[in-house]
């Protein structure tokens, strides 16, 4: 659900504990708060209260200075979300832990990651026809993760923020807009700060939990870069009763498998992100609820405002188009995660004694609404259903067993070959139809198809075409 705050609109999920991802911050935002009485005593003179008046003025001056800095910062943000503020809040919440990975100069730790990735790639070569997708393997701190993934979060969050804030502006009566005048721009700036504050808190919570750059299931990081977060992996490994080296290799294999898909299935990255944007672009707010709001809000009582905002009056209406986009996104994410699950299981096989236990642990981590799903729901407004991952995993396993690894991976060459949501409910029927209609025996060379689509993408880049959100048919399937 989306709640409107006094200073703007933020995106919250009512299904989540608000304190978990910044719905209510434990510390006052932007540095405001009551003075610390213990610090005040340090400034008191031995003669009694002679310094209290100057202290009060000094505190007031500091607060006004902070307010000026805050508004100045808001003015520097031209979009619907203040991403500079989001990054500052995220880094501040992480504190010194956000910069901790391996110990400084710990070459053995970084070497362990590179060796694990190299070993995982060798094993994956035997489990899929898709070649290695990562040209760089690196370790990230939590702060690195924020820096590297923020551009993609911007692409995901901008449509949501723009639609919600735009709906509020349009809902204002014309006379109110004329009376507000220049104040409307300030409202927009404060709305951007409200979004930025929410985003910063959410990213801080996620950055302290994610294990790899693809832990959310979306291609958030730079292309062809495989990244693991050693500090978070250490925390994850506690209590698993498995050697950390084993956990590291297993996670490196999952990261490498994701990178193979995102690097060599050119339509996949664009379709995932474009489907999120499509969902966001359909957001509408029932502006008639503003009339009910007017009779229930007491301007002198902030508690009544908060109560009304959390009542659901202003919850966006879900359109049929949004429901369709949500279904497509859930299915595609499930297919990605299910394929990775099967391929990694085939790759590690009996090579890692605890592989099956680790596989089940990660499945449950996703199915119980871990930080990735919760943060995604908070920021973008989509409540994902990771339970579909098990169905997708069963389908990929069945197709591979019946038709072979090459036939299974050939399906990624074109979106029209991919299983649908109905196929996830009937994997046996899908596998039978696949063999009966000859879809895998019509002369398709999977590697040639992959190379062709990659060349087409490279040609677009050389011709100066950005292939971004303005090109809904960039995956080449002839469909929007």
């Amino acid at each position: 659900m989306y709640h409107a705050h006094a200073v703007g609109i933020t995106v919250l999920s009512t299904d989540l504990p608000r304190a978990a991802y910044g719905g209510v911050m434990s510390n006052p935002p932007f540095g405001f708060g009551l003075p610390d009485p213990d610090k005040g005593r340090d400034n008191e003179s031995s003669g009694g209260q002679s310094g209290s008046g100057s202290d009060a003025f000094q505190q007031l001056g500091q607060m006004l200075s902070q307010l000026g800095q805050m508004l100045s910062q808001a003015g520097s943000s031209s979009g619907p979300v203040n991403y500079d503020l989001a990054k500052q809040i995220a880094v501040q919440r992480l504190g010194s832990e956000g910069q901790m990975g391996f110990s400084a100069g710990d070459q053995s730790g970084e070497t362990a990651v590179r060796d694990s990735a190299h070993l995982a790639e060798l094993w994956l070569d035997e489990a899929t026809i898709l070649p290695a997708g990562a040209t760089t393997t690196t370790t990230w701190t939590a702060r690195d993760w924020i820096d590297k993934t923020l551009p993609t979060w911007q692409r995901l969050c901008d449509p949501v923020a723009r639609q919600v804030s735009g709906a509020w502006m349009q809902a204002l009566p014309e006379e109110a807009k004329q009376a507000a005048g220049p104040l409307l721009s300030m409202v927009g700036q404060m709305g951007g700060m409200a979004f930025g504050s929410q985003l910063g808190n959410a990213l801080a919570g996620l950055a302290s939990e994610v294990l790899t750059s693809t832990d959310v299931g979306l291609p958030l990081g730079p292309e062809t870069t495989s990244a693991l977060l050693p500090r978070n992996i250490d925390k994850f490994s506690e209590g698993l009763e498995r050697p950390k080296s084993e956990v590291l290799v297993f996670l490196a294999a999952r990261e490498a498998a994701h990178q193979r898909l995102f690097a060599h299935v050119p339509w996949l990255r664009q379709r995932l992100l474009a489907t999120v944007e499509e969902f966001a672009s359909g957001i509408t707010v029932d502006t008639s609820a503003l009339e009910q709001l007017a009779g229930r809000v007491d301007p002198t009582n902030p508690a009544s405002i908060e109560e009304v905002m959390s009542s659901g009056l202003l919850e966006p209406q879900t359109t049929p188009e949004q429901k369709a986009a949500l279904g497509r996104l859930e299915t595609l994410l499930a297919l990605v995660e299910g394929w990775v699950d099967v391929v990694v299981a085939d790759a590690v096989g009996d090579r890692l004694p605890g592989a099956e236990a680790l596989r089940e642990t990660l499945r449950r981590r996703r199915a119980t609404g871990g930080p990735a799903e919760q943060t995604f729901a908070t920021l973008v407004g989509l409540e994902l259903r990771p339970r579909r991952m098990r169905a997708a995993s069963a389908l990929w396993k069945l197709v591979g067993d019946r038709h072979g690894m090459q036939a299974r991976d050939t399906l990624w060459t074109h979106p029209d070959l991919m299983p649908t949501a109905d196929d996830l409910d009937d994997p046996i029927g899908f596998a039978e139809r696949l063999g009966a209609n000859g879809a895998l025996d019509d002369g398709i060379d999977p590697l040639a198809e992959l190379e062709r689509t990659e060349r087409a993408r490279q040609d677009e880049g050389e011709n100066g075409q950005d292939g971004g959100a303005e090109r809904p048919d960039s995956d080449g399937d002839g469909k929007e």
Side-chain angles (χ1 to χ4, degrees):
M1 177 185 296
Y2 302 82
H3 296 297
H5 286 225
V7 294
I9 315 297
T10 55
V11 183
L12 297 175
S13 172
T14 53
D15 298 329
L16 307 176
R18 296 185 66 194
Y21 290 99
V24 176
M25 288 188 291
S26 58
N27 295 320
F30 317 119
F32 289 103
L34 296 175
D36 188 336
D38 293 331
K39 292 181 179 179
R41 294 191 188 98
D42 294 339
N43 296 326
E44 290 180 4
S45 64
S46 58
Q49 302 294 326
S50 59
S52 60
S54 61
D55 287 345
F57 279 110
Q58 183 178 8
Q59 292 165 2
L60 176 61
Q62 292 174 348
M63 187 175 71
L64 292 176
S65 175
Q66 291 171 342
L67 177 61
Q69 293 174 0
M70 181 180 69
L71 293 178
S72 173
Q73 183 184 54
S76 66
S77 178
S78 58
V81 180
N82 191 319
Y83 291 100
D84 290 338
L85 179 63
K87 183 176 179 179
Q88 290 177 14
I89 289 178
V91 171
Q92 184 178 19
R93 278 198 56 187
L94 288 171
S96 59
E97 291 189 1
Q99 303 181 40
M100 296 178 64
F102 290 118
S103 301
D106 185 359
Q107 297 298 323
S108 62
E110 295 181 2
T111 300
V113 168
R114 289 194 297 269
D115 290 345
S116 296
H118 179 67
L119 183 60
E121 295 284 16
L122 290 176
W123 292 349
L124 285 170
D125 285 340
E126 302 176 9
T128 175
I129 67 171
L130 299 182
T135 58
T136 301
T137 298
T138 186
T139 60
W140 283 354
T141 64
R143 182 166 180 172
D144 291 332
W145 182 88
I146 291 173
D147 290 338
K148 303 297 186 182
T149 65
L150 194 57
T152 305
W153 285 115
Q154 181 172 350
R155 178 174 177 179
L156 295 175
C157 295
D158 266 357
V160 178
R162 188 176 293 111
Q163 287 293 112
V164 175
S165 59
W168 271 88
M169 289 295 187
Q170 294 173 9
L172 288 175
E174 194 60 37
E175 56 271 19
K177 294 180 182 179
Q178 295 176 359
L183 290 178
L184 283 179
S185 63
M186 180 176 292
V187 171
Q189 292 173 359
M190 297 301 284
M193 294 185 69
F195 274 116
S197 174
Q198 179 69 13
L199 175 61
N201 281 278
L203 292 183
L206 185 54
S208 64
E209 298 285 346
V210 291
L211 306 174
T212 67
S213 74
T214 57
D215 212 9
V216 179
L218 294 173
L220 296 176
E223 294 187 27
T224 69
T225 297
S226 178
L228 285 78
L229 285 78
R231 180 172 177 82
N232 293 350
I233 292 174
D234 284 346
K235 291 190 295 184
F236 172 74
S237 301
E238 294 175 0
L240 292 182
E241 299 181 353
R242 304 305 312 171
K244 290 184 179 180
S245 58
E246 189 174 294
V247 177
L248 192 61
V249 172
F250 188 84
L251 293 174
R254 285 185 53 84
E255 172 75 351
H258 277 102
Q259 295 297 337
R260 289 183 182 225
L261 267 185
F262 295 139
H264 298 294
V265 183
W267 59 266
L268 180 58
R269 177 184 294 264
Q270 168 65 16
R271 176 157 291 196
L272 278 170
L273 300 180
T275 304
V276 175
E277 294 168 334
E278 181 183 353
F279 177 90
S281 66
I283 290 175
T284 58
V285 177
D286 183 8
T287 55
S288 64
L290 291 175
E291 298 178 2
Q292 301 181 46
L293 217 62
R296 295 177 54 179
V297 172
D298 178 5
T300 64
N301 181 9
S304 71
I305 299 176
E306 176 67 21
E307 180 182 354
V308 169
M309 294 305 177
S310 61
S311 66
L313 278 177
L314 298 177
E315 182 176 359
Q317 309 300 307
T318 302
T319 65
E321 292 77 13
Q322 282 182 292
K323 291 180 180 179
L326 176 59
R328 290 194 298 273
L329 179 64
E330 289 174 343
T331 299
L332 191 52
L333 281 174
L335 290 171
V336 169
E337 293 300 296
W339 183 87
V340 168
D341 180 60
V342 169
V343 168
V344 170
D346 289 346
V348 299
D350 298 328
R351 292 162 167 150
L352 294 181
E356 191 58 35
L358 288 171
R359 182 186 186 189
E360 185 60 28
T361 297
L362 289 172
R363 279 178 162 184
R364 292 180 179 178
R365 187 173 184 260
R366 296 295 304 274
T368 55
E373 287 76 24
Q374 292 177 356
T375 299
F376 193 78
T378 301
L379 296 178
V380 186
L382 293 172
E383 192 69 47
L384 302 180
R385 294 176 294 174
R387 62 181 175 82
R388 302 293 288 171
M389 182 187 73
R390 289 185 182 269
S393 180
L395 183 145
W396 289 123
K397 181 70 165 62
L398 184 61
V399 170
D401 290 345
R402 290 199 177 187
H403 303 288
M405 174 183 71
Q406 179 166 315
R408 179 198 66 197
D409 295 348
T410 296
L411 295 173
W412 289 102
T413 57
H414 198 283
D416 288 348
L417 296 176
M418 295 295 289
T420 64
D422 292 338
D423 293 327
L424 293 182
D425 296 327
D426 183 19
I428 295 178
F430 176 79
E432 290 177 348
R433 290 193 303 274
L434 211 57
N437 62 19
L440 301 178
D441 299 312
D442 56 1
I444 292 179
D445 182 347
L447 289 178
E449 286 293 310
L450 291 171
E451 291 173 359
R452 182 186 63 80
T453 51
E454 278 221 44
R455 283 197 303 270
R457 183 180 62 169
Q458 293 171 358
D459 290 342
E460 286 183 357
E462 292 174 358
N463 293 332
Q465 299 176 2
D466 57 17
E470 300 299 322
R471 291 173 47 82
D473 190 31
S474 62
D475 55 38
D477 64 352
K479 300 180 180 180
E480 295 188 4

